[in-house]
Amino acid sequence: MPEFEVPVAATGILRDFAAAGMIALADFHLARRLAAYCGETDEVVLLALALASRELRLGSVCLDLEAAHTLVVPGSVDDGSVTDATDLPWPEPAAWLAAVAASPAVGRDRPFTLDGTLVYLARYHAEERTLANRLHARAALPALPTPPIATVPGLNPDPSQDAAVRAATSRTSVILGGPGSGKTTVVGRILDTLAPLSVALAAPTGKAATRLESSVRSRLQHPERVRITAGTLHSLLGVVPGRDARAFGAHNPLPHDLIVVDEASMVSASMMSWLLEAVADDTRLVLIGDPDQLAAVEAGAVLADIAAAPDLVGRDRVARLAGSHRNAGDVARLADAIRSGDADAALVLLEGSKECTLEPYTGREDLAALPQLAELVLEGAREAQRAALGGDGPAAVQALERHRLLTAHRDGAYGTGHWQASVRRYLAAQLPGYAADASPYPGQPLIALRNSDVVSNGEVAVLVERDGRLWAALDRGDDVAYLDPLQLDAAQELHAMTIHKSQGSEFDAVSVILPPIGSPLLTRELLYTAVTRARGHAHLYGSPEALRRAVETRARRASGLGRTSVGRAKTA
């Protein structure tokens, strides 16, 4: 069992929870300092406050005191290592709730808020309340004019697509659907239905926004009647990096007739709150995404909350697209089995399929011991290098996007760092001139790690040789942009990526390193997200037991967004 750093000042129950890894140094010190400011010294109250901080750090916006005893230790580092279960002296729930409710650190103008059994840092409760109130207020406004629904010559949409277009004529609508369910086709029909108009197409990452814009433009029947702005949510709102400041908000709403947000499952509660504040009453808002995918890296799971509580926007304004039009093969069947929690069906399919496979991986095998994976990475690198040496940027980018190695963790034998290095060494030994040293080289795959004036976080590029020098061929959907590699000042090699970063992307094939049993990342949402990145082939590496555990384990994100108690928190 790993040893966790215990704060010197921690005593009693706080020391027990810190020693077990249930709260980290930052959680303890944040709770202790804020509580001391309010005159709170009760250790069980400080424990609740520290756990609320911990939950925020791990993706939940609050701590549910009733379910606190089910929390698990996430591990000391993000490497897939497993922490043994520890019996901890959890406070008696009713007495614990009463102590928190009576605390001077909880209430109006205090650092923490109690809403029912949910404990929040006050800022995040305020954001959640703002979001809920804004959704309810928009739903209560008079209906906007409903134009005739646009049709596409030669297209016979299923009824769920027609329902989604009709829903999008309201002020706020939510369109739910998995990969290939026709979301971009529906967006094109929405724009044709509402034209003429000014529309902002946004997504959490630059790559997702670029792909959305490219796909939608190709589907418009009357593009001359639609003015499109596309970019990340950060750029749409004018968010100042490192600060809460932003150009658009309640007093300066966004100047668009329609705002479409794709990959909404990746949008945090804070960002969604900022967005709703900045949307004018007469601007239509359409949120699109797959609630079964991984939620945002930051706290919140807004799309899943709305899917579970559609009254937040109005039941007739939440539409779910049926089926998958991208692939009807084994990838789609495997995704359906995972989404429905049917581990037996998933394992049976993996035993008999060529398109979807499960190969053993224990964390000790190197790339050479996994021949199918080695062949896929070598084939892609060879094609990218050949195109790069010929100066063909589009072909190099296409080669890079045919296959992607995905991991859940960042460190250790199950992590991206390990596989980045392993693939690089293997390819350097196989391909002359490929990754021979630390210098840039033709065919080098890169991913941007932060937003800048020229690239967005998550955009990918391949270095190609043109006119006697190297250029970065940046993937821009249906086209590439050639940049000086020095303009990619925050980029790293891309031989593997986390499943979280892969959201919004599609590949012909994916290879997925499953976390080990015991990892808190081994969840249904993670596995479903990884598999649905594939158009045709999904190859999993791990054990049948790990796969079964993933399919049967739902990710936990505590939230009060769908609760009717939002807005009635303790205020005194």
Side-chain angles (χ1 to χ4, degrees):
M1 177 177 175
E3 292 188 5
F4 296 92
E5 191 171 0
V6 178
V8 174
T11 60
I13 194 171
L14 290 165
R15 187 171 189 82
D16 292 338
F17 276 72
M22 190 63 76
I23 56 174
L25 283 173
D27 305 323
F28 171 80
H29 287 297
L30 175 68
R32 184 168 178 256
R33 174 165 296 191
L34 293 178
Y37 172 78
C38 301
E40 177 60 79
T41 59
D42 188 339
E43 286 190 350
V44 297
V45 173
L46 265 64
L47 175 63
L49 307 185
L51 287 171
S53 168
R54 162 231 153 91
E55 286 297 272
L56 185 64
R57 184 167 47 82
L58 296 180
S60 293
V61 294
C62 57
L63 166 73
D64 187 347
L65 289 174
E66 285 186 336
H69 66 282
T70 65
L71 300 179
V72 297
V73 177
S76 55
V77 291
D78 183 19
D79 64 354
S81 59
V82 177
T83 302
D84 294 334
T86 303
D87 289 330
L88 289 167
W90 290 99
E92 193 279 322
W96 198 13
L97 177 61
V100 172
S103 172
V106 178
R108 185 187 299 276
D109 299 326
R110 296 296 169 172
F112 294 89
T113 300
L114 180 66
D115 188 344
T117 62
L118 306 181
V119 182
Y120 297 77
L121 270 80
R123 168 193 162 178
Y124 293 91
H125 181 267
E127 288 180 345
E128 186 176 85
R129 182 174 57 187
T130 295
L131 176 56
N133 290 343
R134 185 74 179 123
L135 288 171
H136 284 305
R138 286 177 60 83
L141 291 171
L144 292 171
T146 303
I149 302 301
T151 58
V152 180
L155 177 69
N156 294 313
D158 60 51
S160 69
Q161 292 187 5
D162 288 337
V165 178
R166 282 193 297 272
T169 63
S170 58
R171 296 180 192 273
T172 307
S173 59
V174 179
I175 300 174
L176 309 174
S181 57
K183 294 192 291 291
T184 52
T185 297
V186 166
V187 173
R189 292 181 61 198
I190 292 169
L191 269 56
D192 280 326
T193 295
L194 298 176
L197 80 165
S198 165
V199 60
L201 303 178
T205 67
K207 183 172 182 179
T210 298
R211 290 190 180 279
L212 175 64
E213 179 185 16
S214 175
S215 297
V216 169
R217 284 190 185 277
S218 69
R219 287 167 167 79
L220 289 177
Q221 301 300 301
H222 302 286
E224 73 282 358
R225 303 182 68 209
V226 180
R227 300 189 312 277
I228 296 179
T229 300
T232 64
L233 277 168
H234 282 80
S235 63
L236 174 69
L237 294 172
V239 175
V240 179
R243 297 169 54 194
D244 286 349
R246 48 203 180 274
F248 295 97
H251 300 295
N252 183 31
L254 290 161
H256 304 286
D257 303 311
L258 170 68
I259 297 170
V260 178
V261 180
D262 195 18
E263 299 292 344
S265 65
M266 300 169 60
V267 181
S268 69
S270 293
M271 181 60 72
M272 195 68 81
S273 175
W274 293 355
L275 174 65
L276 263 293
E277 281 188 292
V279 178
D281 285 350
D282 56 355
T283 295
R284 288 179 168 95
L285 174 65
V286 180
L287 305 177
I288 303 176
D290 187 346
D292 297 308
Q293 286 189 21
L294 284 168
V297 174
E298 298 174 352
V302 176
L303 189 71
D305 287 339
I306 295 175
D311 285 339
L312 279 165
V313 297
R315 289 183 178 273
D316 59 337
R317 297 161 190 169
V318 178
R320 185 179 288 272
L321 299 175
S324 172
H325 304 281
R326 190 176 77 193
N327 65 71
D330 285 350
V331 170
R333 284 188 278 273
L334 178 59
D336 286 342
I338 295 167
R339 183 176 53 227
S340 62
D342 193 340
D344 290 334
L347 288 166
V348 167
L349 185 148
L350 289 165
E351 288 177 1
S353 173
K354 293 182 179 179
E355 290 78 22
C356 299
T357 61
L358 176 63
E359 300 294 332
Y361 179 68
T362 64
R364 294 184 291 273
E365 298 84 356
D366 61 15
L367 182 56
L370 305 172
Q372 182 172 242
L373 177 55
E375 181 180 355
L376 283 169
V377 299
L378 179 59
E379 179 183 356
R382 182 183 288 121
E383 290 184 17
Q385 183 189 49
R386 184 184 302 117
L389 290 170
D392 191 342
V397 167
Q398 288 174 12
L400 174 65
E401 297 294 271
R402 288 196 182 101
H403 169 258
R404 189 59 46 86
L405 173 57
L406 304 177
T407 72
H409 293 280
R410 291 189 295 269
D411 304 316
Y414 296 88
T416 303
H418 167 81
W419 283 102
Q420 291 269 43
S422 179
V423 171
R424 193 181 202 275
R425 286 194 303 269
Y426 180 81
L427 294 176
Q430 299 292 324
L431 297 175
Y434 194 98
D437 53 35
S439 304
Y441 56 91
Q444 184 177 25
L446 299 169
I447 181 169
L449 300 181
R450 66 169 180 250
N451 297 320
S452 72
D453 292 339
V454 292
V455 297
S456 297
N457 181 24
E459 287 194 295
V460 300
V462 181
L463 294 190
V464 301
E465 195 170 67
R466 291 164 59 93
D467 304 322
R469 59 165 294 186
L470 289 178
W471 294 87
L474 189 69
D475 182 9
R476 285 287 164 83
D478 291 339
D479 197 5
V480 300
Y482 291 98
L483 305 177
D484 187 315
L486 293 177
Q487 292 181 279
L488 302 177
D489 61 336
Q492 70 176 25
E493 275 196 327
L494 178 60
H495 297 300
M497 73 192 308
T498 62
I499 296 168
H500 256 112
K501 278 189 176 294
S502 74
Q503 287 180 269
S505 299
E506 299 174 3
F507 312 99
D508 291 343
V510 297
S511 298
V512 184
I513 307 299
L514 296 179
I517 290 179
S519 165
L521 299 186
L522 194 63
T523 65
R524 183 185 305 174
E525 289 81 0
L526 177 129
L527 183 58
Y528 172 82
T529 300
V531 167
T532 54
R533 298 310 90 207
R535 285 185 284 259
H537 295 78
H539 305 295
L540 312 181
Y541 293 87
S543 67
E545 294 78 18
L547 184 133
R548 179 177 292 279
R549 183 69 59 85
V551 173
E552 295 176 349
T553 303
R554 298 299 305 266
R556 181 189 52 79
R557 285 278 174 123
S559 164
L561 185 59
R563 294 192 179 191
T564 57
S565 62
V566 170
R568 295 202 300 270
K570 176 197 168 184
T571 57

